[in-house]
Amino acid sequence: MVTFAHDAPGTEATAWRRHPRRREVRALDPARLLAPAPAPAPAPERGSVLVVVAAHPDDETLGAGALVAEAHARGVEVRVVVLTDGEASHPDSPTHTPAELAGLRREEVRAAVDVLAPGSTPWLLGLPDGAVAAHEDEVVAALVGLVGDGRDTVVVAPWRGDQHPDHEAAGRAAAAAAVRTGARLLEYPVWFWHWGRPDLAPWSDLRAVRSSPVAREAKARAMAAHRSQVAPLSAAPGDEALLSPGFLAHFAGAEELFVEAGATDEALEQVHRRDADPWGTDRRWYEQRKRSLLLAALPRASFLRGLEVGCSTGALTAELAPRCRELVALDASPAALGHARDRLALLDGVRLEAAVVPGEWPEGDFDLVVLSETGYFLSPRDLEGLVERVRACLTDDGVLVLCHWRHRVEGWVLDGPDVHRVVAAAGLGDVLGAWVDRDVEILVIGPTDLLPDPRA
């Protein structure tokens, strides 16, 4: 982590604007950025949404104020989420307690957002200033709940490389939420422009959004609304202005710069790093029974080539393997695949592959595809993409089996019944059978003539 001080000399704004590589930055047209994505018929018409995440009051204006104003002027719904009240901005203030600063800054961000997007009210989560990282899961869940199906949503958040702990935690949470909802992610550096150097900039990942004069003027007025940050609280030592004119110059140009480097979600990888059996698949009767139900639901005794999507540590893989001449098992988590390799080392005909579905997919056809406790970890758009992957690879006599937890999955958009409804409606085959109890739901899809003859 880079150490820097807000009042120390930093890189001047002109150094960034005059750097030769500044010309390489790709421009994003606000009209295209904020337009709804084409929806597959007969999905209902959706409007585009801009969700701006701020670690502290003023981040939203510094990093994306003009974009917010531009979005609002274009009729785009704007949602600003402020994670902390910024009560630690003046730790040595002799005139304002942290609680008083929190109240002041809440009022300032409400006023600023109303300037940028009149009539909009920011969501204030009130997390402790300086401790966003300790609440990342809470932030992810809040953002996922706010965004939902994010295929027409742009999420804008502090850059994960800003070297400010709260900013980076906010960026990680926004990235995870973007993965889970299918939203587009743009990240805005704040302190990087101060402590960083042009030779350190991610030039190839930077995107420039040019704002109109009206949007720039709104951003300037919104920035002035954050008076506790741009002007002294008092003449006393400890009450100095936090943001100097030189620092503010980084954000006063005709363009706002964002990093677009791809969203990531490390939650499931971290789960498997912490625990070799995170779901208790080897010790809980619930898990053992669920596997037995799934295996009993298969309409054939054996299959030529099976595919398991989301194998985790390989508990179900080990029991599917004897039923398949060849079995390919996928997972996005390297840690999970490491545990699975240990478990399956002595089994023939099993191949483990690292894959982030639906973007990555094994070659060839399969007469068995198993999706167990995985579908709800996909965004709605990615679930639809997975359905099309299955449609393309499932043989005419192939079987698709789904098995999922029936209750709410905290922090993700979908639950098990949602997944089963989407897949059942996709026309991949007939429903050969279903099992539903209090906690688990199993669905088997394929040609009806695959069911065993009870008289044979």
Side-chain angles (χ1 to χ4, degrees), residues 294 297-299 303 307 309 361 366-372 386-387 390-391 393-395 397-404 419-420 422-424 426-433 442-447 450:
L294 186 154
L298 298 178
F303 297 84
L307 173 64
V309 180
W361 198 260
F366 299 90
D367 60 347
L368 174 65
V369 176
V370 177
L371 185 67
S372 178
L386 182 140
V387 166
V390 172
R391 191 189 308 278
C393 76
L394 195 63
T395 60
D397 63 346
V399 175
L400 170 63
V401 182
L402 298 95
C403 177
H404 290 89
V419 173
H420 289 209
V422 169
V423 176
L428 297 175
D430 299 315
V431 175
L432 302 185
I442 297 173
L443 185 66
V444 183
I445 294 174
L450 286 184

Side-chain angles (χ1 to χ4, degrees), residues 317-354:
T317 318
E319 298 189 39
L320 286 170
R323 304 280 293 270
C324 300
R325 183 179 299 177
E326 179 187 357
L327 179 61
V328 179
L330 312 178
D331 206 279
S333 165
L337 289 172
H339 299 316
R341 287 189 183 94
D342 292 340
R343 182 196 299 271
L344 305 169
L346 300 180
L347 288 180
D348 295 329
V350 177
R351 187 170 83 248
L352 298 174
E353 292 187 9

Side-chain angles (χ1 to χ4, degrees), residues 267-279 312-313 331 333 335-337 339:
L268 297 179
E269 170 67 4
Q270 294 301 324
V271 162
H272 286 96
R273 285 184 184 179
R274 290 193 299 266
D275 190 340
D277 185 18
W279 319 122
S312 186
T313 63
D331 206 279
S333 165
L337 289 172
H339 299 316

Side-chain angles (χ1 to χ4, degrees), residues 99-391:
E100 289 169 335
L101 276 169
L104 177 61
R105 299 197 68 186
R106 284 195 297 268
E107 291 306 310
E108 289 174 347
V109 75
R110 290 189 184 104
V113 170
D114 192 56
V115 168
L116 298 170
S120 297
T121 302
W123 279 261
L124 307 179
L125 298 193
L127 300 176
D129 190 359
V132 174
H135 298 269
E136 259 182 69
D137 290 345
E138 182 181 341
V139 176
V140 174
L143 293 177
V144 168
L146 181 65
V147 173
D149 184 343
R151 72 188 77 207
D152 296 316
T153 299
V154 178
V155 173
V156 178
W159 183 36
R160 285 166 284 176
D162 207 40
Q163 297 296 307
H164 184 298
D166 279 352
H167 290 195
E168 296 197 350
R172 289 192 300 269
V179 170
R180 298 181 193 187
T181 62
R184 184 174 183 176
L185 176 69
L186 298 177
E187 301 171 79
Y188 55 87
V190 175
W191 289 105
F192 174 71
W193 304 126
H194 175 70
W195 64 259
R197 304 189 313 268
D199 60 297
L200 299 175
W203 291 107
S204 60
D205 294 329
L206 284 174
R207 307 288 182 261
V209 179
R210 178 170 287 275
S211 50
S212 68
V214 173
R216 293 198 294 274
E217 191 272 336
K219 178 173 180 172
R221 288 191 290 117
M223 200 65 242
H226 290 286
R227 181 171 175 77
S228 68
Q229 306 302 293
V230 300
L233 293 171
S234 78
D239 274 354
E240 297 85 0
L242 187 67
L243 307 180
S244 68
F247 176 79
L248 292 171
H250 291 289
F251 307 95
E255 295 177 323
E256 290 177 329
L257 295 181
F258 301 93
V259 178
E260 188 168 29
T264 57
D265 181 4
E266 294 294 316
L268 297 179
E269 170 67 4
Q270 294 301 324
V271 162
H272 286 96
R273 285 184 184 179
R274 290 193 299 266
D275 190 340
D277 185 18
W279 319 122
T281 55
D282 294 327
R283 64 180 184 274
R284 296 170 58 215
W285 167 241
Y286 167 81
E287 293 290 341
Q288 297 167 24
R289 170 182 176 267
K290 183 175 61 177
R291 291 196 298 275
S292 296
L293 288 169
L294 186 154
L295 293 165
L298 298 178
R300 290 209 305 261
S302 62
F303 297 84
L304 294 176
R305 192 164 189 251
L307 173 64
E308 183 187 5
V309 180
C311 65
S312 186
T313 63
L316 178 58
T317 318
E319 298 189 39
L320 286 170
R323 304 280 293 270
C324 300
R325 183 179 299 177
E326 179 187 357
L327 179 61
V328 179
L330 312 178
D331 206 279
S333 165
L337 289 172
H339 299 316
R341 287 189 183 94
D342 292 340
R343 182 196 299 271
L344 305 169
L346 300 180
L347 288 180
D348 295 329
V350 177
R351 187 170 83 248
L352 298 174
E353 292 187 9
V356 179
V357 299
E360 298 171 329
W361 198 260
E363 295 182 353
D365 295 334
F366 299 90
D367 60 347
L368 174 65
V369 176
V370 177
L371 185 67
S372 178
E373 306 294 13
T374 300
Y376 44 64
F377 290 136
L378 300 174
S379 70
R381 178 171 56 187
D382 282 348
L383 178 60
E384 292 175 4
L386 182 140
V387 166
E388 295 311 309
R389 288 287 202 179
V390 172
R391 191 189 308 278

